[in-house]
Amino acid sequence: MDLLEAYRMLPADLWAAFPLVLTAVVGLVLVVWDAFWNDAPPIPWVAAGTLALALLWELGGLSRAPETAFYGLIRVGGMASFVNAIILASGLLTIALSGPYLKRIRHLHGEVYALILFATVGMIVLASANSLISVFVGLETMSICLYIMTGLVREDVGAGEAALKYFLLGAFSTGFFLYGIALLYGATGTMYLPQMAAHLAEGAHPIMFWAGVALLLIGFLFKVGAVPFHMWTPDVYQGAPTTLTGYMAAASKAAAFAALVLVLDAALPAERWQLLLALVALVTMVAGNVLALVQQNVKRMLAYSSIAHAGYILTGLAAGTPEGYAGALFYLLVYALMNIGAFGVMAFLEWDGKEGYEQTIDSLAGIGYRRPLLGVAMAFFMFSLTGFPPLAGFIAKYAVFAPAVKAGLTWLVIVGVLASVLSAYYYLRVVYVFWMKSPDEAPEAVRQQAFPVPLAPQAVLVVCVVLIVLLGVLPGLLEVTASFFPTPAAPPAATTALLP
């Protein structure tokens, strides 16, 4: 393929990847707009409209056959559209929650919305990657934006510490990830996942390849917050603005896990990494739940809870089957709704304490009576996170545990079920404090707080609750995710002509 023909293909690629291109272009426009018209009121509306339009496009692509764009570097349609829809919906819900919250904490800046769009671009590239180069570019684009959002409240010492810790550990994990990519390229001679799978099908599994796989998995496990690469999670979740924490917990995890699914399904032989992922899942589930038991700060509790949920998702991936991958994708959707909702509730229950905005368990006493909508919504989120039927959290856990049992990992599923039972203590403790304690038991500083909840955040919470109930009663999307496997998309045959 010559350069002229490559340029001729560009319009078709831009159209195929319309949500990605639209989000990136509008993000650039918002940066310039905010620079000349500081804190312009239309900026949140433009950002929300962009993500809504991109979301509608991706929903229309769910039934489209998987294709590739930009010379085989990214995938469009099918599984890519499903995960991109999760990411875009998470960003849209976050924007609706963030406006009133950021205004309340006096950090309503236009660049926040540009950062959300740029982070979304990185996540889309990561979740749609068909090449290790795309994985790396998407991962770093997403990560840099998340580092900045973590330290948004510069006056807060905890936020600055969390951002620095996230940046340093993230940079360290990136070194492992990039070195793993280099070794995989040296072992297979390609960056494209389908071509890598074809090379390995010939039976060549050199030591260099497995060293690259190990380093690559370290990078992925860091991004999803799995043990023992979870150290950054509690501090970052506590230090970041709460609505942005929900976005980080939901969208970034969806993108990272989607990329991991693509790599595992398309390029790595399942029989070699199944036991490793199973052991990581076991340690992650146990450690996340045990450490969450002793937390008094609600955001830290939800952070350790997110570590445990990473273990549940890894259980589905450890099965190494199409059913396991499909269950993991469904879990990511449900997890996004539960976490954005839970962090959305907490965003409007923070009280201004001696060390900034706090979220202690004691501060929630009687909130169900003072703010019934927040109390009812939080109860749904906590029960769903625990895995109570008929809510979507129960179906999601079944979707990842059942394939693991079929794959012979019954011992791992038993640990996962026991860990879920253990999680009921700290999840239901929140519900107990909301509804079973008198508002008079809350600290005086909390009783003086008004906790206003504007209309847009209320709508977000209602939408999350309704979807959690519907997905629990009518889990039809499990059939949608099952249709994405096991057929991977291949890069165009002419792509190799562009490679050195």
Side-chain angles (χ1 to χ4, degrees), residues 144-188:
I144 292 172
C145 296
L146 298 185
Y147 300 153
I148 299 171
M149 286 192 283
T150 300
L152 180 67
V153 185
R154 288 175 290 182
E155 301 81 13
D156 185 358
V157 176
E161 178 185 346
L164 181 61
K165 179 180 292 186
Y166 194 13
F167 170 71
L168 293 177
L169 292 177
F172 192 62
S173 71
T174 297
F176 283 98
F177 193 86
L178 194 56
Y179 193 27
I181 291 177
L183 292 179
L184 287 175
Y185 178 74
T188 62

Side-chain angles (χ1 to χ4, degrees), residues 88-100:
L88 292 165
S90 300
L92 180 59
L93 296 176
T94 300
I95 289 175
L97 288 170
S98 295

Side-chain angles (χ1 to χ4, degrees), residues 163-377:
L164 181 61
K165 179 180 292 186
Y166 194 13
F167 170 71
L168 293 177
L169 292 177
F172 192 62
S173 71
T174 297
F176 283 98
F177 193 86
L178 194 56
Y179 193 27
I181 291 177
L183 292 179
L184 287 175
Y185 178 74
T188 62
T190 181
M191 291 286 189
Y192 288 93
L193 300 180
Q195 293 179 5
M196 191 177 296
H199 178 83
L200 294 174
E202 300 173 359
H205 297 156
I207 296 177
M208 182 186 296
F209 171 80
W210 290 113
V213 169
L215 294 175
L216 198 71
L217 287 179
I218 288 175
F220 274 121
L221 294 176
F222 175 87
K223 292 302 177 183
V224 302
V227 177
F229 310 105
H230 67 289
M231 299 80 69
W232 59 275
T233 309
D235 289 335
V236 170
Y237 279 34
Q238 183 179 0
T242 305
T243 55
L244 300 182
T245 301
Y247 173 70
M248 294 162 56
S252 67
K253 198 177 289 282
F257 266 116
L260 180 57
V261 167
L262 289 172
V263 172
L264 295 179
D265 180 55
L268 303 184
E271 69 276 4
R272 297 295 185 92
W273 48 258
Q274 183 185 58
L275 180 59
L276 173 63
L277 279 188
L279 293 176
V280 173
L282 184 148
V283 176
T284 302
M285 289 187 294
V286 173
N289 281 297
V290 170
L291 292 173
L293 289 173
V294 298
Q295 302 303 316
Q296 294 300 316
N297 183 285
V298 182
K299 287 176 71 174
R300 291 187 73 87
M301 181 270 286
L302 290 174
Y304 283 110
S305 157
S306 75
I307 295 171
H309 284 276
Y312 301 143
I313 299 172
L314 285 172
T315 300
L317 299 188
T321 61
E323 293 82 2
Y325 298 145
L329 294 183
F330 180 79
Y331 200 112
L332 290 173
L333 171 62
V334 176
Y335 177 82
L337 294 171
M338 296 186 297
N339 270 266
I340 288 178
F343 281 106
V345 171
M346 292 310 305
F348 295 97
L349 293 180
E350 294 179 356
W351 59 285
D352 196 0
K354 295 180 179 179
E355 299 181 1
Y357 286 90
E358 301 180 359
Q359 314 87 16
T360 59
I361 291 287
D362 293 337
S363 70
L364 304 177
I367 288 295
Y369 298 101
R370 297 179 60 188
R371 289 290 180 270
L373 175 63
L374 297 182
V376 171

Side-chain angles (χ1 to χ4, degrees), residues 69-75 121-141 177 181 191-193 259:
F70 294 109
Y71 319 115
L73 291 174
I74 63 171
R75 306 172 185 226
V121 169
M123 294 172 190
I124 290 175
V125 174
L126 178 60
S128 309
N130 198 45
S131 165
L132 292 178
I133 291 295
S134 305
V135 173
F136 178 73
V137 171
L139 193 67
E140 289 309 293
T141 303
F177 193 86
I181 291 177
M191 291 286 189
Y192 288 93
L193 300 180

Side-chain angles (χ1 to χ4, degrees), residues 23 51 87-88 91 115-125 247:
T23 307
L51 294 183
I87 295 167
L88 292 165
L115 284 171
I116 292 175
L117 294 186
F118 288 138
T120 301
V121 169
M123 294 172 190
I124 290 175
V125 174
Y247 173 70

Side-chain angles (χ1 to χ4, degrees), residues 418-476:
L418 294 177
S420 298
V421 173
L422 188 64
S423 71
Y425 171 79
Y426 58 83
Y427 285 134
L428 300 186
R429 181 186 177 194
V430 175
V431 180
Y432 168 80
V433 173
F434 264 62
W435 291 101
M436 301 300 177
K437 283 196 171 186
S438 168
D440 297 332
E441 298 183 52
E444 177 65 25
V446 178
R447 295 200 298 271
Q448 296 176 358
Q449 299 286 323
F451 298 132
V453 185
L455 182 60
Q458 291 185 37
V460 170
L461 298 180
V462 171
V463 167
C464 290
V465 169
V466 170
L467 290 177
I468 285 173
V469 174
L470 289 178
L471 290 174
V473 178
L474 303 170

